Amino acid sequence: MAITPDSSVPAALELRGVSKAFGAVVALTSANLRVDLNSIHALVGENGAGKSTLVKIVAGLYHRDAGDFLLRGESVDFSSTAESKAAGIAVIYQEPTLFPDLSVTENIFMGRQPTNRFGRIDRKAMKVEALRLFERLAVRIDPDRPAEGLSIADQQIIEIAKAISLDARVLIMDEPTAALSGVEVDRLFAVARSLRDEGRALVFISHRFDEVFSLCDTITVMRDGQYISTDPISEVTVDEIVRRMVGRDVTELFPKQEAAIGDVVLSVEGLTQPGVFTDISFTVRSGEIVGLAGLVGAGRSEVVRAVFGVDPYAAGRVIMSGTAVPKNSPSQAMRLGLALVPEDRRKQGLVLESSVARNATMAIRRSLSKLGLIDSHVENKAAAIWSSRLEVKTNALDAEVGTLSGGNQQKVVLAKWLATNPRLLIIDEPTRGIDVGTKAEVHRLLSQLAGEGMAILMISSELPEVLGVADRVLVMREGRLTAEISRTEATAESVMFAATHSQEHAA
Amino acid sequence: MSDTTTLTSPAAPAGQAPGRSYRNYGSSLFRRIFVTREMAVIALLAIVIIVASVSVKNFASPITFSYLLLDTTPILLIALPMTLVIITGEIDLSVASMMGLSSVTVGTLTQAGWPIEVAFVVALVVGVIGGALNGFLITVVGLPSLAVTIGTLALYRGLAVGLLGTTAVTDFPKFWTDIAKAKFAATGIPVVIVPFIILAVVFAVLLHFTSFGRGIFAIGLSSEAAAFSGVHVERTKFILFMLTGVVSAFAGIYYTLRFGSARGDNATGLELSVIAAVLLGGVSIFGGRGALHGVIAGVLLIGVLGSALRLANVSSDVINIITGALLVLSVVSTSFLAWARKRRQRRGGTKKTAVSATAG
């Protein structure tokens, strides 16, 4: 585990002074990364720091503009992902792309099926090899089942099995744990450790520091497309790493202002949609941040989508300051002062191929029109106001929003809804997949908005976020509200108990 | 598209100062107006007109142009709402059949002794109902528009032929058949161009300068994100199908008067000319991209090319081959440009063009 650059032993993978620009947008200015065999190397940085660009260069998806790229001491130059794979590099993405209709085995051997002496595909040999791979990884997946319906965790394992069967020496995992449950993360880590012990080099990209510190032995920090530092993990602390990532001190992750809690803004009464959620009743007051906690799949997003009118509901009422909100009409809900920042910003929050300005003014396009007419001049003006207030980083207002980093995309979604001047802001996973610095900004913003009298309903799967930001925590389990806990009584234990307690019995 | 570059600040690069200001556009006004798919079509149209005027005998005469406009008016008219439908990611193949049905409606009613003006109104109402049926099946029942309008293509044509059989009604008031062919004095410009211009302005404003139009583009790029932003996705599509229905019925009335003949098979196959012209004009078949000026240039390009080649005694088979090849080329060129842009980004991506090329 020698970390100090030892030039006598060539590194498994080494990048020096790599740069990459897309037109006027510079993604990498000088990136360094040196990964040794027998090591799990963490690569961390805020969104937009250039991690993904670096990974894509290694994977052969992009070509570097300048710098050195060495594999086991030899300079390489990939012009396609096939070349990168042939050189022993495998990249496991957050959401693998398998062929859903093909079997697990067929997916592993796609494009290089073993053949028997008649030139036909040797199914038997394929299955034997697949079983051997799974045994080696100590996982149980039926090799004959179709890939359709496999959990994301299992899909990642299949990608890893594929990589091992190709004898990849360098495995890069780009935020693999983002969609995994606790047990699945443990299994993935066990696999990762055994791969390390076999003498492979692993790169692990994650925003979760507890995972980084428990799994990795070395850590490289990037910021604004530049290399910042590489250290053995035992010699650094989380605070230090965060400071290097952000370039400043993040003193408090969840700043919370005191706000005067006022009248009831939203009241939901007996909301029911069979099979999805049952008898949901709660209120949100002005100046109050209500956290909606629970496990993924508990029906939280479905409830807020129904409240906003995107999803249907069979029974119950939604009332905004005394006025009933009609069903199935987001535009009516918006008129009554509701705003919803949805869970999936790439599919639901933004029109990725449209410009920053069009997206930021999407929800206020009616009020921007004069005599029914609207033009880009008015849109740009309105978009600039909220973009600058939230410090969106973009080249120009007509840039496609899909080219922005995740944190900046989330800011555009926030700008879009704050522009409507809502009385109730519903925000579903406000900081999923965004970096530490932006996270703190979002939390400060929510707290500030509540201070100005806005009512906020926040769904979050991150317990520290719920406990740090919310005045009151509602907990859902299997489509029902199981607990309402005040800020003073809310602890990680009490919330988790309410979110899981039937599983406790089952287990 | 037509507004000027207003800089909120002098071209500031992505700076770090809080309270930052933004450039409105990533590329120059010149690039945004002239380096676009629409401008390429307009330029091609101009080149074809100039070359044909110089080299084809009789092409550069008022008569050629007035017949050209009289012939392409139905396509021009229907291309307007069709552009909006295709930008939402849907398609309407029943437009030519609706023209036939509208033509037969006018014919049978006048034959039965109704005043022709009333027959016009009934035909337009038939158009609205036909469009609403398409819209209902697509937005309420939730069927794909390709399947629905292939069905109604057969249905409306069947109704039209069934109502009038193989006969034709040719007895219309001279006043109206004259209007359909009338020209503004010596200029050779047909009168029918007036309703087209009015409709073109209405549709251009609707698509490019209203919040309804913003919704149309958003639906085409991501109907889910549009729904989350309060766009009435289904209602918008329903309205657009009613518009194609009523405009097709209007085109059917014009067609009937111009040729003085109401027949069940009037305008058979015209839907393909309309869609070809819309795609040639730079509208993406996948939805979300396109502009009306490009579409109008696309319709005229096909029309002018056909008319010039006919005057040059080129057979209609060859004309079909040429327009078909043009369409394939235009679709291939779009994909090729996208591919070239990607490649430029992968390789030395320092050229300015890599980003600004996406502005269109």
Side-chain angles (χ1 to χ4, degrees), chain A residues 26-29 46 48-50 222-226 245 393, chain B residues 16:
Chain A
V26 179
L28 288 178
T29 45
E46 293 189 289
M222 289 181 70
R223 184 174 74 227
D224 298 335
Q226 275 180 317
M245 279 168 57
K393 283 185 203 167
Chain B
Q16 271 78 38

Coordinates of all heavy atoms in Angstrom, one line a residue, chain A residues 26-29 46 48-50 222-226 245 393, chain B residues 16:
Chain A
V26 N -14.2 24.4 -20.4 CA -13.0 23.6 -20.1 C -13.4 22.7 -19.0 O -13.8 23.1 -17.9 CB -11.9 24.5 -19.6 CG1 -10.7 23.7 -19.2 CG2 -11.5 25.5 -20.7
A27 N -13.3 21.4 -19.2 CA -13.8 20.4 -18.2 C -12.6 19.9 -17.4 O -12.7 19.7 -16.2 CB -14.4 19.2 -18.9
L28 N -11.4 19.8 -18.0 CA -10.2 19.4 -17.2 C -9.1 20.4 -17.6 O -8.9 20.6 -18.8 CB -9.8 18.0 -17.6 CG -10.6 16.8 -17.1 CD1 -10.0 15.5 -17.6 CD2 -10.7 16.8 -15.6
T29 N -8.4 20.9 -16.6 CA -7.2 21.7 -16.9 C -5.9 20.9 -16.7 O -5.1 20.9 -17.6 CB -7.1 23.0 -16.1 OG1 -7.4 22.7 -14.8 CG2 -8.1 24.0 -16.7
E46 N -16.4 17.8 -6.1 CA -17.8 18.3 -6.3 C -18.2 17.9 -7.7 O -17.4 17.6 -8.6 CB -17.8 19.8 -6.2 CG -17.5 20.3 -4.8 CD -17.8 21.8 -4.7 OE1 -17.0 22.6 -5.3 OE2 -18.7 22.1 -4.0
G48 N -19.0 18.5 -11.3 CA -18.4 19.5 -12.2 C -16.9 19.7 -12.0 O -16.3 20.5 -12.6
A49 N -16.4 18.8 -11.0 CA -14.9 18.9 -10.8 C -14.1 18.2 -11.9 O -12.9 18.4 -12.0 CB -14.6 18.3 -9.4
G50 N -14.8 17.4 -12.7 CA -14.1 16.8 -13.8 C -13.9 15.3 -13.7 O -13.3 14.7 -14.5
M222 N -10.2 16.2 -6.5 CA -10.2 17.1 -7.7 C -11.1 18.3 -7.4 O -12.1 18.1 -6.7 CB -10.7 16.3 -8.9 CG -9.8 15.3 -9.5 SD -10.4 14.5 -11.0 CE -10.3 15.9 -12.1
R223 N -10.7 19.4 -8.0 CA -11.6 20.6 -7.9 C -11.5 21.4 -9.2 O -10.3 21.6 -9.6 CB -11.2 21.4 -6.7 CG -12.1 22.6 -6.5 CD -11.8 23.3 -5.2 NE -10.6 24.1 -5.3 CZ -9.6 24.1 -4.4 NH1 -9.7 23.4 -3.3 NH2 -8.6 24.9 -4.6
D224 N -12.6 21.8 -9.8 CA -12.6 22.7 -10.9 C -11.7 22.1 -12.1 O -10.9 22.9 -12.6 CB -12.1 24.1 -10.6 CG -13.1 24.7 -9.6 OD1 -14.3 24.3 -9.6 OD2 -12.7 25.6 -8.9
G225 N -11.7 20.8 -12.3 CA -10.9 20.3 -13.4 C -9.4 20.1 -13.1 O -8.7 19.8 -14.0
Q226 N -9.1 20.3 -11.8 CA -7.7 20.2 -11.5 C -7.4 19.2 -10.4 O -8.2 18.9 -9.5 CB -7.2 21.6 -10.9 CG -6.8 22.5 -12.1 CD -6.3 23.8 -11.5 OE1 -6.9 24.3 -10.6 NE2 -5.2 24.3 -12.1
M245 N -12.1 19.8 -1.4 CA -13.1 19.7 -2.5 C -13.7 21.0 -2.8 O -14.0 21.4 -3.9 CB -14.1 18.7 -2.1 CG -13.7 17.3 -2.4 SD -14.9 16.1 -1.6 CE -16.4 16.6 -2.4
K393 N -23.8 28.1 -12.7 CA -22.7 28.3 -13.5 C -23.0 27.8 -14.9 O -23.2 26.6 -15.2 CB -21.5 27.4 -13.0 CG -20.8 28.0 -11.7 CD -19.6 27.1 -11.4 CE -19.3 27.3 -9.9 NZ -18.4 26.3 -9.4
Chain B
Q16 N -16.5 33.8 -11.1 CA -16.9 33.2 -9.8 C -17.6 34.2 -8.9 O -18.1 33.8 -7.9 CB -15.6 32.7 -9.1 CG -15.2 31.3 -9.4 CD -14.6 31.2 -10.8 OE1 -13.8 32.1 -11.1 NE2 -14.9 30.2 -11.6

